[in-house]
């Protein structure tokens, strides 16, 4: 019978030819000396040398820690390599006698000076250390488990129904705790794949903590899995498919009549809809295809758009390559419902700046994306009272999404679109203006931050601190954009403070990270990236297509960035996050005037009820925040 040792033993074929028999010796302690700086070798009290030099790699070390009876090698591998190389050298020598030129291996096998050997060994050790570091980073990323992370910290995750753009977001149904499913039975020694029934103990996005039926309160074999995975089936699937239901080996002895047990346990229980897997498959079909052409924001000049081509589609996220990129490395990531992409011709239709491509004709296979595939914006009436150039407002800074800044409407475009500039940091040519729609959840009326206790970032270089809107409007001769023109809709989004999710780092949009909701103001969410400092947080709308349920990356095959450790944060010191940090430090302002002051100086009672949001503890995503209070 296989005893488990043969498969683990090392190949001894090469060592059998060695003249020296090998013996196991304790590893070399790190505190033992290798060689003195002056080149002298340690000796024992009796005068015998206590050091030895490895005949394979040239390493100098304590003789007692060396291998073989004659202490010729510093390790087992060196001993075996020496024996193997001796054979090779002999063969190469015979080949040279026949007149054939020496090979590279033969040259390497020639004896080298001790100094060269030591240098080569030092380089070899450095390589091993670098490989170990790389491997540890890879293991930390691949080894992250949402299940362990949530269970060990008692976290909760945002439900799938919070993400209407995600797979199953609109048809999740009544999937909840205590729903029964049929899953593979891993506690079984049978050679074929068998199944058993399990119940959902806890839900975390797409992930579910399952417990086999019959374990009652025993959580010893509980396991996490993605409920949308191919191995999860509704109760009854095995019977319909001819698959065996076999109880786990650990509890086989508990009941003699398992059929009667299951009938009793499953009577009145809920399970997945019979077409659940079909719905999952259908919800993961995306209309955008490679080679489609779109207009997308120019990541180097936010004020304009460029033509880009869909390179790939993963879970509805598009990798767009700018059309003029010859090596196809100049790319941009966004969701297919992102407000940053539009159909070909959109810029011209609304008067938006557009970078014309040097490519005079479409490349083979590329075609314009049908306009109906893009996200629709709410129609607005610009004929009456409307936004005007020069009006002041508050806006999320697209270059530093952790801040809401003093901003100005720089240009009014068609179809309700506005060009916004951040006061105090605008380029002279307006190249950093950003396009927001009038209904965008990223722009706010004057006073929004103060009333909702959000730190407002004043214009760069503004010296009259603390910043006061009333004084600033008077000094600049400006007026505030009317409150009634802003978006007042707040959906019942279902998010709560503390919920976990997967979120795009919009400053590096190819990355999706482990994240937490830390604040909720109306429909505005403060997203914190686990393991990073708060200055890297981002303000995101509750319906943003850049937020996903726990388990989305696993479901779609996208790489998830785990929570940052201290070492990884330090390794990012030269990354874009540090640049963002420097900018945020320049923009930071002081605490502002009280809510009562602002209300009296700037805002009437009706507008105040719109601006004021619930506290983080009371916020529940309902539309009641904007209802005018009757006297």
């Amino acid at each position: 019978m296989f005893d488990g040792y043969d498969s683990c033993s090392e190949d001894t074929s090469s060592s059998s030819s060695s003249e020296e028999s090998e013996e196991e010796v304790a590893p070399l302690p790190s505190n033992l000396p290798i060689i003195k700086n002056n080149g002298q070798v340690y000796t024992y009290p009796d005068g015998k040398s206590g050091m030895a030099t490895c005949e394979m790699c040239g390493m100098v070390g304590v003789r007692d820690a060396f291998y073989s009876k004659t202490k010729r090698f510093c390790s087992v591998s060196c001993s075996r390599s020496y024996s193997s190389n001796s054979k090779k050298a002999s063969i190469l020598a015979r080949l040279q006698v026949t007149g054939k030129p020496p090979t590279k291996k033969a040259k390497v096998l020639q004896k080298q000076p001790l100094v060269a050997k030591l240098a080569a060994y030092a380089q070899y050790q450095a390589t091993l250390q670098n490989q170990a570091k790389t491997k540890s980073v890879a293991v930390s990323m691949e080894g992250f488990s949402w299940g362990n992370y949530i269970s060990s910290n008692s976290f909760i995750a945002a439900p799938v129904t919070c993400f209407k753009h995600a797979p199953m977001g609109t048809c999740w149904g009544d999937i909840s705790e205590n729903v029964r499913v049929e899953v593979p039975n891993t506690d079984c020694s049978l050679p074929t794949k068998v199944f058993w029934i399990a119940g959902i103990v806890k839900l975390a996005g797409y992930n579910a903590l399952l417990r086999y039926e019959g374990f009652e309160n025993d959580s010893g074999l509980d396991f996490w899995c993605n409920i949308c995975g191919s191995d999860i089936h509704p109760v009854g699937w095995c019977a319909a498919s001819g698959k065996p239901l076999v109880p786990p080996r650990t509890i086989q002895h508990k009941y003699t009549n398992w059929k009667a047990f299951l009938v009793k346990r499953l009577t009145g229980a809920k399970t997945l809809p019979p077409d659940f897997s079909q719905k999952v498959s259908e919800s993961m079909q995306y209309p955008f295809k490679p080679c489609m052409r779109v207009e997308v924001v120019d990541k180097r000049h936010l004020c304009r758009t460029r033509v880009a081509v869909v390179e790939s589609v993963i879970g509805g996220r598009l990798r767009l390559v700018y059309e003029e990129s010859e090596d196809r490395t100049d790319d941009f990531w966004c969701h297919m419902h992102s407000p940053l992409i539009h159909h070909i011709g959109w810029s011209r239709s609304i008067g938006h700046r557009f970078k014309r491509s040097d490519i005079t004709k479409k490349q083979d296979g590329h075609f314009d994306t049908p306009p109906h595939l893009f996200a629709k914006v709410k129609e607005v009436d610009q004929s009456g009272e409307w936004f005007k150039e020069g009006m002041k407002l508050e806006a999320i800074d697209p270059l530093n999404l952790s801040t809401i800044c003093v901003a100005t409407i720089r240009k009014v475009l068609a179809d309700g679109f506005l060009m916004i500039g951040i006061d105090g940091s605008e380029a002279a040519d307006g190249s950093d203006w950003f396009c927001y729609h009038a209904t965008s959840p990223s722009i706010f009326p004057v006073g929004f931050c103060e009333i909702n206790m959000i730190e407002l970032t004043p214009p760069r270089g503004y010296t009259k601190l603390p910043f006061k809107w009333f004084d600033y409007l008077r000094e600049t001769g400006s007026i505030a954009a009317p409150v009634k023109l802003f978006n007042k809709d707040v959906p019942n989004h279902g998010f709560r403070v503390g919920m976990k999710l997967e979120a795009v780092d919009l400053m590096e949009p190819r990355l999706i990270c482990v994240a937490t909701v830390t604040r909720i103001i109306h429909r505005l969410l403060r997203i914190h990236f686990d393991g990073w400092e708060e200055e890297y947080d981002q303000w995101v709308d509750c319906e943003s297509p850049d937020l996903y349920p726990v388990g989305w990356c696993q479901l779609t095959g996208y790489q998830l960035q785990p929570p940052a450790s201290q070492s990884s944060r330090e390794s990012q010191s030269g990354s874009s996050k540090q640049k963002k940090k420097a900018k945020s430090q320049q923009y930071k302002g002081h605490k502002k005037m009280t809510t009562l002051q602002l209300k009296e100086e700037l805002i009437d009672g009706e507008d105040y009820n719109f601006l004021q949001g619930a506290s983080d503890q009371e916020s529940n995503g309902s539309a009641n925040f904007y209802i005018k209070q009757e006297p």
Side-chain angles (χ1 to χ4, degrees):
M1 181 180 291
F2 172 71
D3 61 3
Y5 286 97
D6 293 342
S7 63
C8 299
S9 60
E10 297 185 11
D11 183 13
T12 57
S13 59
S14 61
S15 62
S16 61
S17 62
S18 176
E19 298 177 356
E20 308 295 341
S21 62
E22 298 161 358
E23 54 189 4
E24 291 294 329
V25 181
L28 180 64
S30 59
N31 60 346
L32 285 178
I34 299 301
I35 191 167
K36 278 189 173 184
N37 293 335
N38 58 12
Q40 294 179 354
V41 179
Y42 273 91
T43 56
Y44 288 115
D46 59 2
K48 295 181 180 180
S49 174
M51 304 298 290
T53 302
C54 178
E55 296 183 14
M56 179 60 196
C57 68
M59 174 182 173
V60 179
V62 178
R63 178 181 294 276
D64 285 347
F66 271 46
Y67 289 75
S68 79
K69 290 182 178 179
T70 55
K71 308 299 183 186
R72 296 170 56 192
F73 308 104
C74 66
S75 65
V76 173
S77 61
C78 278
S79 174
R80 292 176 178 172
S81 298
Y82 184 88
S83 175
S84 177
N85 289 342
S86 296
K87 286 184 177 180
K88 294 177 182 177
S90 176
I91 294 173
L92 290 171
R94 288 197 297 269
L95 289 175
Q96 291 180 25
V97 171
T98 63
K100 294 183 179 181
T103 64
K104 185 180 293 186
K105 287 186 178 180
K107 294 179 180 179
V108 171
L109 290 172
Q110 292 178 357
K111 191 173 181 180
Q112 299 177 347
L114 176 60
V115 174
K117 288 184 177 182
L118 288 174
Y121 182 75
Q123 183 177 5
Y124 171 72
Q125 289 290 88
T127 302
L128 288 181
Q129 291 178 359
N130 291 334
Q131 290 176 347
K133 291 179 181 178
T134 304
K135 184 177 180 181
S136 65
V137 172
V139 169
S140 66
M141 293 183 67
E142 296 176 0
F144 175 76
S145 166
W146 262 121
N148 294 337
Y149 190 57
I150 288 176
S151 296
S152 60
N153 297 281
S154 299
F155 291 142
I156 59 172
V160 174
T161 52
C162 291
F163 311 87
K164 305 302 181 187
H165 58 281
M168 302 299 291
T170 57
C171 54
W172 188 247
D174 295 330
I175 300 176
S176 58
E177 296 179 4
N178 297 320
V179 166
R180 305 302 205 281
V181 292
E182 293 180 351
V183 296
N185 178 6
T186 58
D187 184 25
C188 181
S189 58
L190 296 176
T192 58
K193 188 176 183 179
V194 296
F195 293 80
W196 190 239
I197 296 172
I200 297 178
V201 178
K202 183 175 183 177
L203 266 179
Y206 293 117
N207 293 349
L209 180 63
L210 300 180
R211 180 175 301 168
Y212 289 121
E213 282 294 337
F215 275 82
E216 308 301 338
N217 296 322
D218 183 2
S219 61
L221 286 185
D222 288 2
F223 60 98
W224 285 91
C225 71
N226 195 303
I227 207 71
C228 294
S230 59
D231 275 337
I232 311 299
H233 307 282
V235 172
W237 177 84
C238 285
S241 306
K243 303 293 182 180
L245 279 175
V246 178
R249 179 174 50 185
T250 304
I251 58 171
Q252 279 182 346
H253 64 279
K254 290 185 66 175
Y255 302 96
T256 56
N257 189 340
W258 281 101
K259 182 177 180 180
F261 167 80
L262 289 181
V263 170
K264 181 178 179 181
R265 291 285 295 175
L266 300 179
T267 300
K270 293 181 180 180
T271 188
L272 300 177
D275 60 345
F276 183 77
S277 60
Q278 180 182 349
K279 288 183 177 179
V280 172
S281 178
E282 291 174 352
S283 67
M284 296 182 68
Q285 301 300 316
Y286 308 104
F288 280 79
K289 307 297 179 184
C291 296
M292 284 184 171
R293 299 170 77 239
V294 302
E295 288 186 9
V296 63
V297 64
D298 186 340
K299 63 183 181 181
R300 294 182 179 85
H301 300 278
L302 301 182
C303 67
R304 69 186 185 189
T305 57
R306 296 172 62 184
V307 174
V309 179
V310 177
E311 179 77 9
S312 59
V313 183
I314 303 178
R317 287 184 57 76
L318 312 177
R319 179 179 180 259
L320 303 172
V321 176
Y322 291 113
E323 197 169 47
E324 294 176 303
S325 176
E326 295 181 358
D327 58 0
R328 309 195 70 75
T329 58
D330 190 8
D331 61 358
F332 184 82
W333 280 91
C334 68
H335 192 271
M336 64 182 184
H337 294 155
S338 170
L340 301 178
I341 60 172
H342 311 276
H343 62 84
I344 298 296
W346 172 84
S347 298
R348 176 182 295 180
S349 68
I350 71 162
H352 194 284
R353 290 174 66 176
F354 175 75
K355 180 184 179 182
R356 295 187 180 277
S357 174
D358 294 335
I359 301 175
T360 56
K361 62 179 182 179
K362 300 178 187 176
Q363 297 183 17
D364 293 340
H366 294 177
F367 59 98
D368 295 351
T369 306
H372 72 272
L373 296 184
F374 295 88
K376 301 296 187 294
V377 294
K378 185 178 179 180
E379 293 185 3
V380 294
D381 181 12
Q382 296 184 224
S383 60
E385 186 177 11
W386 193 241
F387 293 100
K388 296 179 181 179
E389 292 183 15
M391 283 184 172
K392 299 294 183 181
L393 70 165
E394 298 174 4
I396 296 176
D397 184 354
L399 295 177
N400 189 354
L401 296 165
S402 66
T403 62
I404 300 178
C405 305
V406 174
T408 303
I409 297 174
R410 292 304 179 186
K411 189 176 182 180
V412 179
L413 308 178
D415 296 340
F417 288 95
L418 309 169
M419 296 303 294
I420 306 294
I422 303 299
D423 285 22
S425 63
E426 298 177 65
D429 59 355
S431 59
D432 55 357
W433 293 354
F434 194 77
C435 185
Y436 281 126
H437 193 263
T439 60
S440 170
S442 298
I443 59 174
F444 316 96
V446 165
F448 176 85
C449 284
E450 181 61 32
I451 290 176
N452 291 289
M453 294 182 291
I454 301 173
E455 186 175 22
L456 177 67
T457 301
R460 182 188 299 180
Y462 189 75
T463 57
K464 291 187 177 180
L465 301 175
F467 177 84
K468 292 187 178 182
W469 262 117
F470 185 81
D471 294 339
Y472 185 69
L473 292 175
R474 183 177 55 192
E475 292 167 4
T476 57
S478 307
I479 61 173
V483 174
K484 62 183 179 181
L485 298 181
F486 292 84
N487 184 8
K488 302 177 179 65
D489 298 332
V490 180
N492 186 14
H493 48 68
F495 286 103
R496 301 289 183 273
V497 172
M499 283 183 170
K500 297 292 178 180
L501 69 163
E502 298 176 3
V504 176
D505 180 355
L506 294 170
M507 303 308 294
E508 189 65 46
R510 65 184 177 84
L511 302 179
I512 297 183
C513 311
V514 173
T516 307
V517 178
T518 56
R519 288 196 69 183
I520 302 176
I521 305 295
H522 303 321
R523 61 183 300 147
L524 192 63
L525 309 179
R526 180 81 169 178
I527 301 299
H528 173 73
F529 297 105
D530 289 20
W532 292 94
E533 289 80 8
E534 292 182 0
E535 59 199 278
Y536 304 131
D537 292 359
Q538 296 178 1
W539 288 108
V540 181
D541 181 60
C542 65
E543 293 184 340
S544 169
D546 295 308
L547 303 178
Y548 304 99
V550 166
W552 181 88
C553 283
Q554 178 188 3
L555 178 63
T556 61
Y558 204 97
Q559 183 177 352
L560 176 67
Q561 304 298 315
S565 61
Q566 180 64 32
S567 58
S568 64
R569 287 198 299 269
E570 292 173 353
S571 68
Q572 294 285 339
S573 59
S575 69
S576 60
K577 285 186 176 296
Q578 188 187 28
K579 296 177 183 178
K580 182 173 66 171
K581 176 180 178 181
K583 179 176 180 181
S584 65
Q585 288 176 338
Q586 292 174 348
Y587 276 68
K588 289 290 184 180
H590 294 275
K591 297 296 181 181
K592 315 301 183 301
M593 55 184 159
T594 64
T595 299
L596 181 60
Q597 285 179 300
L598 186 60
K599 177 183 176 182
E600 292 176 346
E601 294 183 6
L602 192 63
I603 305 170
D604 60 30
E606 181 177 357
D607 291 342
Y608 177 78
N609 288 314
F610 158 65
L611 288 171
Q612 188 175 31
S615 64
D616 295 346
Q617 293 77 14
E618 297 172 347
S619 180
N620 58 12
S622 70
N624 293 331
F625 301 158
Y626 292 144
I627 296 177
K628 178 182 178 182
Q629 299 175 357
E630 297 298 334

